[in-house]
Amino acid sequence: MEDCIFCKIIKGEIPADKVYEDDRVLAFLDISPINKGHILVVPKEHFENLLETPDELVEKLVLAGKKIGLAVREVVRAEGINVGINNGSAAGQVVFHTHIHIIPRFSDDGYKLWGSDKKYELGEGRELAQKIQEQLNN
Ligand code: 5GP
Ligand code: ZN
């Protein structure tokens, strides 16, 4: 993908502060961190988002993300780590190259992830769960 910013980082065309690299995966600091040590884990091959990424590559990304999470937790003495993936612009995805956010968290960092006041009507949750189950079995 020629105009993909992460492909450019992977090709070395634009700089990034790299923390991890293997044959399939690259990880580097997010340029605009939620907290210092916020890392992006990306496949070297371009896919639009997680849902378009082959399973075997997802496994490698998640395992790298876990390893990196453990390391960054030590280095910045994080109290928690958010692991997040935005898929689609409605979900907040801005860069359309699969990436896992590894975000160090502190109880006093003031960052609010999400909250909800939505509730299911009586029976609605069960019906929806059933539909999803059926879709999974298709
Ligand atoms: P998204 O919202 O797509 O899940 O997240 C994209 C992330 O990429 C954002 O957190 C943003 O700060 C980061 N980002 C965007 N452009 C660059 C860049 O050129 N270099 C680096 N290191 N991170 C970037
Ligand atoms: Zn790309």
Short mmCIF file of all heavy atoms in Angstrom, two decimals, residues 75-103:
data_model
loop_
_atom_site.label_atom_id
_atom_site.label_comp_id
_atom_site.label_asym_id
_atom_site.label_seq_id
_atom_site.Cartn_x
_atom_site.Cartn_y
_atom_site.Cartn_z
N VAL A 75 9.22 -1.55 32.30
CA VAL A 75 10.04 -0.37 32.04
C VAL A 75 9.38 0.91 32.54
O VAL A 75 10.05 1.76 33.14
CB VAL A 75 10.37 -0.26 30.53
CG1 VAL A 75 11.01 1.07 30.18
CG2 VAL A 75 11.28 -1.40 30.11
N VAL A 76 8.07 1.05 32.33
CA VAL A 76 7.42 2.29 32.79
C VAL A 76 6.69 2.08 34.12
O VAL A 76 6.00 2.98 34.59
CB VAL A 76 6.47 2.89 31.72
CG1 VAL A 76 7.21 3.14 30.41
CG2 VAL A 76 5.24 2.03 31.49
N ARG A 77 6.83 0.87 34.69
CA ARG A 77 6.19 0.57 35.98
C ARG A 77 4.68 0.80 35.91
O ARG A 77 4.09 1.42 36.81
CB ARG A 77 6.80 1.41 37.10
CG ARG A 77 8.29 1.17 37.28
CD ARG A 77 8.52 0.09 38.35
NE ARG A 77 9.91 -0.33 38.37
CZ ARG A 77 10.32 -1.58 38.20
NH1 ARG A 77 9.46 -2.54 37.94
NH2 ARG A 77 11.58 -1.90 38.28
N ALA A 78 4.08 0.33 34.82
CA ALA A 78 2.64 0.52 34.63
C ALA A 78 1.85 -0.31 35.65
O ALA A 78 2.28 -1.39 36.04
CB ALA A 78 2.24 0.12 33.22
N GLU A 79 0.70 0.22 36.04
CA GLU A 79 -0.18 -0.52 36.95
C GLU A 79 -1.12 -1.45 36.18
O GLU A 79 -1.67 -2.40 36.73
CB GLU A 79 -1.01 0.46 37.77
CG GLU A 79 -0.17 1.30 38.73
CD GLU A 79 -0.99 2.46 39.28
OE1 GLU A 79 -2.09 2.24 39.81
OE2 GLU A 79 -0.52 3.60 39.15
N GLY A 80 -1.31 -1.14 34.90
CA GLY A 80 -2.15 -1.97 34.05
C GLY A 80 -1.77 -1.73 32.60
O GLY A 80 -1.03 -0.79 32.29
N ILE A 81 -2.27 -2.59 31.73
CA ILE A 81 -2.00 -2.46 30.28
C ILE A 81 -3.31 -2.66 29.54
O ILE A 81 -3.97 -3.69 29.72
CB ILE A 81 -0.99 -3.54 29.79
CG1 ILE A 81 0.36 -3.45 30.51
CG2 ILE A 81 -0.83 -3.48 28.28
CD1 ILE A 81 1.30 -2.39 30.02
N ASN A 82 -3.68 -1.70 28.73
CA ASN A 82 -4.79 -1.92 27.79
C ASN A 82 -4.22 -2.48 26.50
O ASN A 82 -3.22 -1.96 25.97
CB ASN A 82 -5.53 -0.62 27.46
CG ASN A 82 -6.50 -0.20 28.55
OD1 ASN A 82 -6.44 0.91 29.04
ND2 ASN A 82 -7.39 -1.09 28.92
N VAL A 83 -4.88 -3.52 25.98
CA VAL A 83 -4.54 -4.05 24.66
C VAL A 83 -5.77 -3.80 23.79
O VAL A 83 -6.85 -4.30 24.10
CB VAL A 83 -4.22 -5.55 24.73
CG1 VAL A 83 -3.97 -6.12 23.34
CG2 VAL A 83 -3.02 -5.79 25.64
N GLY A 84 -5.61 -2.98 22.76
CA GLY A 84 -6.80 -2.59 22.00
C GLY A 84 -6.58 -2.60 20.51
O GLY A 84 -5.46 -2.37 20.03
N ILE A 85 -7.64 -2.91 19.79
CA ILE A 85 -7.58 -2.90 18.32
C ILE A 85 -8.84 -2.22 17.80
O ILE A 85 -9.96 -2.66 18.10
CB ILE A 85 -7.53 -4.33 17.75
CG1 ILE A 85 -6.42 -5.15 18.42
CG2 ILE A 85 -7.32 -4.28 16.24
CD1 ILE A 85 -6.37 -6.61 17.98
N ASN A 86 -8.66 -1.15 17.07
CA ASN A 86 -9.80 -0.47 16.46
C ASN A 86 -9.98 -1.01 15.04
O ASN A 86 -9.02 -1.07 14.28
CB ASN A 86 -9.55 1.04 16.42
CG ASN A 86 -9.34 1.61 17.82
OD1 ASN A 86 -9.94 1.13 18.78
ND2 ASN A 86 -8.49 2.61 17.93
N ASN A 87 -11.19 -1.37 14.72
CA ASN A 87 -11.48 -1.93 13.39
C ASN A 87 -12.60 -1.14 12.73
O ASN A 87 -13.76 -1.23 13.14
CB ASN A 87 -11.88 -3.40 13.52
CG ASN A 87 -10.77 -4.23 14.12
OD1 ASN A 87 -9.80 -4.56 13.45
ND2 ASN A 87 -10.87 -4.51 15.41
N GLY A 88 -12.25 -0.33 11.74
CA GLY A 88 -13.23 0.51 11.05
C GLY A 88 -13.28 1.90 11.65
O GLY A 88 -13.06 2.08 12.86
N SER A 89 -13.59 2.88 10.81
CA SER A 89 -13.57 4.27 11.29
C SER A 89 -14.59 4.51 12.39
O SER A 89 -14.34 5.28 13.32
CB SER A 89 -13.72 5.26 10.14
OG SER A 89 -14.79 4.89 9.34
N ALA A 90 -15.74 3.82 12.33
CA ALA A 90 -16.75 3.99 13.38
C ALA A 90 -16.21 3.53 14.74
O ALA A 90 -16.68 3.98 15.78
CB ALA A 90 -18.02 3.23 13.04
N ALA A 91 -15.22 2.65 14.70
CA ALA A 91 -14.61 2.13 15.93
C ALA A 91 -13.34 2.91 16.30
O ALA A 91 -12.60 2.51 17.19
CB ALA A 91 -14.30 0.65 15.77
N GLY A 92 -13.10 4.00 15.59
CA GLY A 92 -11.95 4.84 15.93
C GLY A 92 -10.68 4.54 15.16
O GLY A 92 -9.63 5.11 15.45
N GLN A 93 -10.77 3.63 14.17
CA GLN A 93 -9.56 3.34 13.39
C GLN A 93 -9.24 4.51 12.46
O GLN A 93 -10.12 5.00 11.75
CB GLN A 93 -9.74 2.06 12.57
CG GLN A 93 -8.45 1.63 11.88
CD GLN A 93 -8.57 0.31 11.11
OE1 GLN A 93 -9.67 -0.23 10.94
NE2 GLN A 93 -7.44 -0.19 10.65
N VAL A 94 -8.01 4.96 12.52
CA VAL A 94 -7.57 6.10 11.72
C VAL A 94 -6.53 5.63 10.69
O VAL A 94 -6.50 6.10 9.56
CB VAL A 94 -6.97 7.20 12.63
CG1 VAL A 94 -6.35 8.31 11.82
CG2 VAL A 94 -8.07 7.76 13.55
N VAL A 95 -5.68 4.71 11.11
CA VAL A 95 -4.67 4.16 10.19
C VAL A 95 -5.15 2.76 9.77
O VAL A 95 -5.32 1.87 10.63
CB VAL A 95 -3.28 4.09 10.84
CG1 VAL A 95 -2.28 3.44 9.89
CG2 VAL A 95 -2.81 5.48 11.25
N PHE A 96 -5.34 2.59 8.48
CA PHE A 96 -5.97 1.35 8.00
C PHE A 96 -4.93 0.30 7.62
O PHE A 96 -4.89 -0.19 6.49
CB PHE A 96 -6.96 1.69 6.87
CG PHE A 96 -8.14 2.45 7.43
CD1 PHE A 96 -8.11 3.83 7.50
CD2 PHE A 96 -9.22 1.77 7.96
CE1 PHE A 96 -9.17 4.53 8.06
CE2 PHE A 96 -10.29 2.46 8.53
CZ PHE A 96 -10.26 3.84 8.58
N HIS A 97 -4.10 0.01 8.59
CA HIS A 97 -3.12 -1.09 8.54
C HIS A 97 -3.22 -1.72 9.93
O HIS A 97 -3.02 -1.02 10.93
CB HIS A 97 -1.72 -0.53 8.26
CG HIS A 97 -0.62 -1.55 8.21
ND1 HIS A 97 0.26 -1.65 7.16
CD2 HIS A 97 -0.23 -2.50 9.11
CE1 HIS A 97 1.15 -2.61 7.38
NE2 HIS A 97 0.86 -3.14 8.58
N THR A 98 -3.55 -3.01 9.98
CA THR A 98 -3.77 -3.70 11.26
C THR A 98 -2.75 -3.28 12.32
O THR A 98 -1.54 -3.29 12.05
CB THR A 98 -3.64 -5.23 11.06
OG1 THR A 98 -4.51 -5.62 10.00
CG2 THR A 98 -3.98 -5.98 12.33
N HIS A 99 -3.23 -2.93 13.51
CA HIS A 99 -2.30 -2.64 14.60
C HIS A 99 -2.95 -2.89 15.95
O HIS A 99 -4.13 -2.65 16.12
CB HIS A 99 -1.77 -1.20 14.52
CG HIS A 99 -2.84 -0.16 14.45
ND1 HIS A 99 -3.52 0.12 13.30
CD2 HIS A 99 -3.34 0.67 15.40
CE1 HIS A 99 -4.40 1.09 13.52
NE2 HIS A 99 -4.32 1.44 14.80
N ILE A 100 -2.13 -3.38 16.86
CA ILE A 100 -2.57 -3.58 18.25
C ILE A 100 -1.96 -2.46 19.08
O ILE A 100 -0.75 -2.25 19.04
CB ILE A 100 -2.10 -4.94 18.80
CG1 ILE A 100 -2.59 -6.08 17.90
CG2 ILE A 100 -2.60 -5.14 20.23
CD1 ILE A 100 -2.16 -7.47 18.38
N HIS A 101 -2.81 -1.78 19.83
CA HIS A 101 -2.31 -0.79 20.78
C HIS A 101 -1.95 -1.49 22.10
O HIS A 101 -2.77 -2.23 22.64
CB HIS A 101 -3.40 0.25 21.12
CG HIS A 101 -3.79 1.13 19.99
ND1 HIS A 101 -3.24 2.39 19.82
CD2 HIS A 101 -4.68 0.97 18.98
CE1 HIS A 101 -3.80 2.96 18.75
NE2 HIS A 101 -4.67 2.12 18.22
N ILE A 102 -0.76 -1.24 22.58
CA ILE A 102 -0.34 -1.70 23.91
C ILE A 102 -0.17 -0.43 24.74
O ILE A 102 0.76 0.36 24.48
CB ILE A 102 1.00 -2.47 23.84
CG1 ILE A 102 0.95 -3.62 22.81
CG2 ILE A 102 1.42 -2.97 25.23
CD1 ILE A 102 0.05 -4.76 23.16
N ILE A 103 -1.07 -0.21 25.67
CA ILE A 103 -1.12 1.09 26.36
C ILE A 103 -0.89 0.92 27.86
O ILE A 103 -1.74 0.35 28.57
CB ILE A 103 -2.49 1.77 26.12
CG1 ILE A 103 -2.79 1.85 24.61
CG2 ILE A 103 -2.53 3.15 26.77
CD1 ILE A 103 -4.19 2.37 24.29
#
